[in-house]
PDB file of all heavy atoms in Angstrom:
ATOM      1  N   MET A   1       0.827  -1.208  -0.015  1.00 93.00           N
ATOM      2  CA  MET A   1      -0.001   0.000  -0.002  1.00 93.00           C
ATOM      3  C   MET A   1       0.872   1.261  -0.018  1.00 93.00           C
ATOM      4  O   MET A   1       1.951   1.249   0.572  1.00 93.00           O
ATOM      5  CB  MET A   1      -0.863   0.025   1.265  1.00 93.00           C
ATOM      6  CG  MET A   1      -1.852  -1.125   1.382  1.00 93.00           C
ATOM      7  SD  MET A   1      -3.060  -1.179   0.048  1.00 93.00           S
ATOM      8  CE  MET A   1      -4.183   0.146   0.439  1.00 93.00           C
ATOM      9  N   LEU A   2       0.359   2.304  -0.602  1.00 94.00           N
ATOM     10  CA  LEU A   2       1.052   3.602  -0.514  1.00 94.00           C
ATOM     11  C   LEU A   2       0.333   4.369   0.600  1.00 94.00           C
ATOM     12  O   LEU A   2      -0.767   4.909   0.401  1.00 94.00           O
ATOM     13  CB  LEU A   2       0.940   4.367  -1.855  1.00 94.00           C
ATOM     14  CG  LEU A   2       1.385   3.576  -3.089  1.00 94.00           C
ATOM     15  CD1 LEU A   2       0.992   4.282  -4.342  1.00 94.00           C
ATOM     16  CD2 LEU A   2       2.891   3.316  -3.017  1.00 94.00           C
ATOM     17  N   VAL A   3       0.948   4.358   1.805  1.00 96.00           N
ATOM     18  CA  VAL A   3       0.284   4.948   2.958  1.00 96.00           C
ATOM     19  C   VAL A   3       0.527   6.456   3.032  1.00 96.00           C
ATOM     20  O   VAL A   3       1.670   6.924   3.034  1.00 96.00           O
ATOM     21  CB  VAL A   3       0.826   4.298   4.250  1.00 96.00           C
ATOM     22  CG1 VAL A   3       0.165   4.905   5.487  1.00 96.00           C
ATOM     23  CG2 VAL A   3       0.521   2.783   4.212  1.00 96.00           C
ATOM     24  N   HIS A   4      -0.534   7.213   2.959  1.00 96.00           N
ATOM     25  CA  HIS A   4      -0.430   8.698   3.052  1.00 96.00           C
ATOM     26  C   HIS A   4      -0.457   9.160   4.500  1.00 96.00           C
ATOM     27  O   HIS A   4       0.145  10.146   4.813  1.00 96.00           O
ATOM     28  CB  HIS A   4      -1.561   9.359   2.270  1.00 96.00           C
ATOM     29  CG  HIS A   4      -1.438   9.207   0.790  1.00 96.00           C
ATOM     30  ND1 HIS A   4      -0.535   9.894   0.037  1.00 96.00           N
ATOM     31  CD2 HIS A   4      -2.094   8.391  -0.082  1.00 96.00           C
ATOM     32  CE1 HIS A   4      -0.647   9.588  -1.229  1.00 96.00           C
ATOM     33  NE2 HIS A   4      -1.585   8.638  -1.337  1.00 96.00           N
ATOM     34  N   GLN A   5      -1.223   8.463   5.341  1.00 93.00           N
ATOM     35  CA  GLN A   5      -1.395   8.857   6.762  1.00 93.00           C
ATOM     36  C   GLN A   5      -1.676   7.623   7.557  1.00 93.00           C
ATOM     37  O   GLN A   5      -2.414   6.731   7.118  1.00 93.00           O
ATOM     38  CB  GLN A   5      -2.674   9.727   6.897  1.00 93.00           C
ATOM     39  CG  GLN A   5      -2.455  11.212   6.837  1.00 93.00           C
ATOM     40  CD  GLN A   5      -3.782  11.942   6.939  1.00 93.00           C
ATOM     41  OE1 GLN A   5      -4.830  11.452   6.574  1.00 93.00           O
ATOM     42  NE2 GLN A   5      -3.729  13.144   7.465  1.00 93.00           N
ATOM     43  N   ASN A  10      -5.019   6.370   5.926  1.00 96.00           N
ATOM     44  CA  ASN A  10      -5.369   6.700   4.523  1.00 96.00           C
ATOM     45  C   ASN A  10      -4.270   6.130   3.629  1.00 96.00           C
ATOM     46  O   ASN A  10      -3.135   6.582   3.689  1.00 96.00           O
ATOM     47  CB  ASN A  10      -5.477   8.199   4.362  1.00 96.00           C
ATOM     48  CG  ASN A  10      -6.803   8.710   4.931  1.00 96.00           C
ATOM     49  OD1 ASN A  10      -7.888   8.231   4.518  1.00 96.00           O
ATOM     50  ND2 ASN A  10      -6.756   9.643   5.873  1.00 96.00           N
ATOM     51  N   ALA A  11      -4.671   5.162   2.825  1.00 97.00           N
ATOM     52  CA  ALA A  11      -3.658   4.474   2.010  1.00 97.00           C
ATOM     53  C   ALA A  11      -4.255   4.114   0.645  1.00 97.00           C
ATOM     54  O   ALA A  11      -5.425   3.749   0.546  1.00 97.00           O
ATOM     55  CB  ALA A  11      -3.213   3.199   2.726  1.00 97.00           C
ATOM     56  N   GLU A  12      -3.418   4.259  -0.407  1.00 97.00           N
ATOM     57  CA  GLU A  12      -3.933   3.924  -1.743  1.00 97.00           C
ATOM     58  C   GLU A  12      -3.382   2.645  -2.284  1.00 97.00           C
ATOM     59  O   GLU A  12      -2.285   2.156  -1.873  1.00 97.00           O
ATOM     60  CB  GLU A  12      -3.770   5.086  -2.706  1.00 97.00           C
ATOM     61  CG  GLU A  12      -2.381   5.422  -3.161  1.00 97.00           C
ATOM     62  CD  GLU A  12      -2.467   6.559  -4.215  1.00 97.00           C
ATOM     63  OE1 GLU A  12      -2.669   6.281  -5.402  1.00 97.00           O
ATOM     64  OE2 GLU A  12      -2.278   7.733  -3.780  1.00 97.00           O
ATOM     65  N   THR A  13      -4.118   2.076  -3.223  1.00 98.00           N
ATOM     66  CA  THR A  13      -3.779   0.856  -3.853  1.00 98.00           C
ATOM     67  C   THR A  13      -2.626   1.070  -4.849  1.00 98.00           C
ATOM     68  O   THR A  13      -2.736   2.008  -5.667  1.00 98.00           O
ATOM     69  CB  THR A  13      -5.021   0.316  -4.589  1.00 98.00           C
ATOM     70  OG1 THR A  13      -6.078   0.211  -3.617  1.00 98.00           O
ATOM     71  CG2 THR A  13      -4.805  -1.066  -5.213  1.00 98.00           C
ATOM     72  N   PRO A  14      -1.571   0.283  -4.799  1.00 95.00           N
ATOM     73  CA  PRO A  14      -0.484   0.496  -5.778  1.00 95.00           C
ATOM     74  C   PRO A  14      -0.866   0.083  -7.185  1.00 95.00           C
ATOM     75  O   PRO A  14      -1.787  -0.721  -7.398  1.00 95.00           O
ATOM     76  CB  PRO A  14       0.619  -0.419  -5.225  1.00 95.00           C
ATOM     77  CG  PRO A  14      -0.011  -1.377  -4.276  1.00 95.00           C
ATOM     78  CD  PRO A  14      -1.310  -0.799  -3.856  1.00 95.00           C
ATOM     79  N   PRO A  15      -0.211   0.689  -8.221  1.00 92.00           N
ATOM     80  CA  PRO A  15      -0.596   0.474  -9.595  1.00 92.00           C
ATOM     81  C   PRO A  15      -0.716  -1.005 -10.005  1.00 92.00           C
ATOM     82  O   PRO A  15      -1.669  -1.391 -10.703  1.00 92.00           O
ATOM     83  CB  PRO A  15       0.523   1.168 -10.402  1.00 92.00           C
ATOM     84  CG  PRO A  15       0.978   2.246  -9.495  1.00 92.00           C
ATOM     85  CD  PRO A  15       0.845   1.701  -8.106  1.00 92.00           C
ATOM     86  N   TRP A  98      -3.791  12.116  -3.152  1.00 96.00           N
ATOM     87  CA  TRP A  98      -4.027  10.830  -3.796  1.00 96.00           C
ATOM     88  C   TRP A  98      -3.516  10.754  -5.222  1.00 96.00           C
ATOM     89  O   TRP A  98      -3.801  11.657  -6.019  1.00 96.00           O
ATOM     90  CB  TRP A  98      -5.526  10.495  -3.801  1.00 96.00           C
ATOM     91  CG  TRP A  98      -6.198  10.392  -2.475  1.00 96.00           C
ATOM     92  CD1 TRP A  98      -7.097  11.294  -1.970  1.00 96.00           C
ATOM     93  CD2 TRP A  98      -6.118   9.335  -1.533  1.00 96.00           C
ATOM     94  NE1 TRP A  98      -7.535  10.843  -0.736  1.00 96.00           N
ATOM     95  CE2 TRP A  98      -6.972   9.635  -0.452  1.00 96.00           C
ATOM     96  CE3 TRP A  98      -5.394   8.131  -1.484  1.00 96.00           C
ATOM     97  CZ2 TRP A  98      -7.088   8.814   0.639  1.00 96.00           C
ATOM     98  CZ3 TRP A  98      -5.516   7.316  -0.384  1.00 96.00           C
ATOM     99  CH2 TRP A  98      -6.380   7.650   0.672  1.00 96.00           C
ATOM    100  N   PRO A 100      -3.635   7.749  -8.506  1.00 94.00           N
ATOM    101  CA  PRO A 100      -4.805   7.118  -9.096  1.00 94.00           C
ATOM    102  C   PRO A 100      -5.355   5.970  -8.310  1.00 94.00           C
ATOM    103  O   PRO A 100      -6.301   5.305  -8.722  1.00 94.00           O
ATOM    104  CB  PRO A 100      -4.273   6.611 -10.438  1.00 94.00           C
ATOM    105  CG  PRO A 100      -2.819   6.421 -10.216  1.00 94.00           C
ATOM    106  CD  PRO A 100      -2.392   7.436  -9.178  1.00 94.00           C
ATOM    107  N   GLY A 101      -4.808   5.700  -7.084  1.00 97.00           N
ATOM    108  CA  GLY A 101      -5.167   4.474  -6.371  1.00 97.00           C
ATOM    109  C   GLY A 101      -6.154   4.634  -5.238  1.00 97.00           C
ATOM    110  O   GLY A 101      -6.272   3.723  -4.393  1.00 97.00           O
TER     111      GLY A 101
END
Side-chain angles (χ1 to χ4, degrees):
M1 298 299 284
L2 307 170
V3 178
H4 291 285
Q5 265 178 331
N10 284 304
E12 71 176 274
T13 305
W98 298 109

